[in-house]
Amino acid sequence: MAEAIQDTHELVDTVLLEAVNLAIHWEMQHDENVVVLGEDVGSNGGVFRATDGLKQKFGFKRVMDTPLAEALIGGLAVGMSTQGLRPIAEIQFSGFIFPALEHLMCHAARMRNRTRGRLSCPMVLRAPYGGGIHAPEHHSESIEALMAHIPGLRVVIPSSPARAYGLLLAAIRDPDPVIFLEPKRVYRSSKQSYENNGEALPLDSCFTLRQGKDITLVSWGASIAETLQAADALAEHGIDAEVIDVASIKPLDMQTILISVARTGRCVIVHEAAKSFAVGAEIAAQVSEKCFLNLQAPVQRVAGFDTHMPYFQNEHYYMPNVQDILAAVDKSMKEE
């Protein structure tokens, strides 16, 4: 991947993982305050090679390997960010983020409020998340709801290479802490062309990926792939589905979702996190509160089970698939 790291302003064709690398590279090239830290991010280029080539280009003072200590990574990032740097910290897998939560919840998320705006905390904490790669325990969690529940944190989840590139640039430039969860199941699943020009995408906004008039499908992260496949299958049966990529989990762009549901009258929410108390539950609640008179059927949720992600032999039973989405749509279309 290191050979692909070029600040070219030209069209590139990359997978999501390489888009993450390109975005970090661009920002380090243009802002000397941007630093990278985490376990194996330097010499090894990260467990998935997302930071490949950065240490060779920018040196060990800006790309720092840390001990196997997530609490230290979180604390270092908070301290650096309050002193003028813009750290990009990596947690190898989101399931190991919990030792760093004290620093995220009690310091990063509160810094602006605590100091009445005197200090902010411009840090990004990146973490591969979600299932689908047959990893063992603690390697497949979907923790977006947990992070979104903390006031003061932005939570962003890209679903494609172009959105990973643009959203990560925006996250690095944001003056407040951003949790950037990367769906590792689609790290290398498909390529996409986009311009490597340093242009950020807006945070706190949904992206409407497909226009439709019959039903609204809302999803994010890796589940966008199955949601779009379901929309294609529905089209063959004459059902015109609108697909919305939430992208920024917190703050949540409910306006885009509400406008769509008000027009279609039906809503199915798709995610792989456990169903109870999840982001899907929050979206369903707000749709019911603010769009009730426009609904022609109850909001449906397609989600993971309320259990730990199983080991790889049973992982496919846990992950929502296209048939699950089609069944939920069928149920919605039949109800009045």
Side-chain angles (χ1 to χ4, degrees):
M1 188 187 298
E3 294 180 356
I5 300 173
Q6 298 293 331
D7 180 1
T8 61
H9 288 258
E10 295 179 350
L11 197 66
V12 294
D13 188 31
T14 78
V15 296
L16 195 153
L17 184 67
E18 293 167 324
V20 169
N21 184 287
L22 282 176
I24 298 174
H25 180 275
W26 178 281
E27 208 60 14
M28 293 188 77
Q29 184 90 349
H30 293 83
D31 185 348
E32 63 180 12
N33 291 318
V34 176
V35 297
V36 172
L37 68 151
E39 299 156 9
D40 296 328
V41 298
S43 298
N44 286 339
V47 64
F48 289 99
R49 306 295 180 261
T51 54
D52 190 27
L54 296 176
K55 182 178 179 182
Q56 291 82 352
K57 179 72 177 288
F58 299 103
F60 68 92
K61 289 186 177 179
R62 295 186 65 190
V63 184
M64 292 161 274
D65 284 312
T66 68
L68 189 67
E70 284 77 11
L72 175 145
I73 295 170
L76 270 177
V78 172
M80 288 175 168
S81 65
T82 59
Q83 300 304 311
L85 296 175
R86 288 184 175 271
I88 306 170
E90 178 182 294
I91 301 293
Q92 281 198 347
F93 292 89
S94 64
F96 297 100
I97 205 171
F98 304 107
L101 276 184
E102 194 270 338
H103 293 289
L104 296 174
M105 295 177 66
C106 300
H107 302 297
R110 297 168 183 262
M111 193 63 68
R112 180 178 291 279
N113 182 271
R114 176 181 292 159
T115 64
R116 299 299 183 263
R118 186 172 60 84
L119 293 177
S120 61
C121 201
M123 60 171 282
V124 176
L125 193 144
R126 299 179 38 250
Y129 95 107
I133 65 166
H134 295 177
E137 188 182 16
H138 284 308
H139 292 71
S140 301
E141 280 79 358
S142 293
I143 58 165
E144 63 265 37
L146 175 64
M147 308 308 292
H149 195 67
I150 303 171
L153 293 183
R154 275 191 162 80
V155 183
V156 178
I157 303 178
S159 64
S160 73
R163 280 187 290 285
Y165 178 83
L167 290 173
L168 183 52
L169 284 171
I172 299 169
R173 296 167 187 172
D174 194 88
D176 293 302
V178 179
I179 308 299
F180 198 82
L181 298 175
E182 298 163 8
K184 59 183 180 290
R185 179 159 63 93
V186 294
Y187 257 160
R188 297 183 173 91
S189 63
S190 62
K191 288 188 174 182
Q192 186 178 23
S193 295
Y194 58 93
E195 191 171 354
N196 180 24
N197 58 4
E199 185 174 335
L201 290 172
L203 298 176
D204 314 336
S205 296
C206 291
F207 296 87
T208 300
L209 305 183
R210 179 183 179 125
Q211 302 282 345
K213 59 181 176 54
D214 296 326
I215 191 166
T216 301
L217 307 182
V218 180
S219 189
W220 54 92
S223 293
I224 285 291
E226 287 80 17
T227 304
L228 286 170
Q229 292 173 32
D232 289 340
L234 291 169
E236 295 177 0
H237 293 85
I239 298 175
D240 194 11
E242 184 147 302
V243 177
I244 294 177
D245 179 1
V246 174
S248 286
I249 302 299
K250 178 76 174 294
L252 181 60
D253 173 18
M254 274 306 300
Q255 189 67 13
T256 297
I257 298 172
L258 293 173
I259 290 173
S260 175
V261 176
R263 183 162 41 77
T264 65
R266 304 176 195 275
C267 180
V268 172
I269 304 161
V270 184
H271 60 76
E272 67 177 71
K275 188 173 187 177
S276 298
F277 312 103
V279 174
E282 172 65 24
I283 295 173
Q286 291 205 41
V287 168
S288 298
E289 288 173 357
K290 301 171 183 175
C291 211
F292 182 75
L293 296 178
N294 299 105
L295 285 173
Q296 299 181 48
V299 177
Q300 300 291 324
R301 286 178 286 160
V302 180
F305 296 97
D306 291 342
T307 182
H308 300 291
M309 173 68 79
Y311 289 115
F312 70 92
Q313 296 96 332
N314 295 319
E315 194 177 47
H316 64 286
Y317 290 117
Y318 181 96
M319 307 288 289
N321 57 43
V322 174
Q323 292 306 315
D324 295 332
I325 300 169
L326 294 177
V329 170
D330 183 61
K331 185 176 182 180
S332 177
M333 298 301 291
K334 288 178 178 176
E335 293 196 48
E336 295 292 343

